[in-house]
Amino acid sequence: MELATANTCIECDDIITEPICPECLAHRMQEFVHYFDQKLAEEIESLVVEDGETSCIFCGKKMNLCAHCFSKEIYQFLQEKNPQAAEEFLGRFDFDLRRNMI
């Protein structure tokens, strides 16, 4: 039971089933957002927080935020700053955002 608790997202409290850390996701998201706004892309990195018990499948760093919740955070950030980029973002980094937000 302790293992499940350690591998849950701190935002939604679901078990992290796609262990891709926010830093790895942020790098890919930055590359995408860079086409719309370079300064905005640079701001994405400041939204990354490393911590947790789950290991990222790409880099091995510890994480505690699921891909869905991190993508939702970045989507909301983009929605405030550049709605066009936010809509395009959903097409690439959905992680069930459309289904859960519409």
Side-chain angles (χ1 to χ4, degrees):
M1 187 68 103
E2 185 176 321
L3 181 61
T5 304
N7 292 306
T8 58
C9 174
I10 61 168
E11 186 71 28
C12 67
D13 208 33
D14 285 343
I15 293 175
I16 298 173
T17 58
E18 298 177 65
I20 305 168
C21 75
E23 186 174 344
C24 287
L25 281 173
H27 289 301
R28 283 144 184 96
M29 292 172 177
Q30 283 177 303
E31 290 173 4
F32 172 74
V33 173
H34 185 268
Y35 291 111
F36 292 93
D37 185 328
Q38 184 176 354
K39 286 191 176 253
L40 197 57
E42 292 170 5
E43 290 182 50
I44 290 174
E45 194 168 342
S46 68
L47 301 173
V48 174
V49 176
E50 290 181 33
D51 193 19
E53 297 297 321
T54 304
S55 296
C56 175
I57 59 173
F58 293 121
C59 69
K61 290 183 182 176
K62 298 297 184 180
M63 57 180 278
N64 61 8
L65 193 63
C66 71
H68 169 82
C69 288
F70 184 69
S71 294
K72 180 179 175 184
E73 184 178 323
I74 299 302
Y75 172 75
Q76 291 170 337
F77 168 76
L78 291 174
Q79 190 66 36
E80 279 182 32
K81 307 279 186 174
N82 187 327
Q84 179 187 2
E87 290 307 310
E88 293 290 328
F89 177 86
L90 280 180
R92 306 241 180 173
F93 302 98
D94 188 316
F95 292 103
D96 285 335
L97 289 176
R98 291 180 195 190
R99 183 173 36 174
N100 293 327
M101 296 181 81
I102 296 175

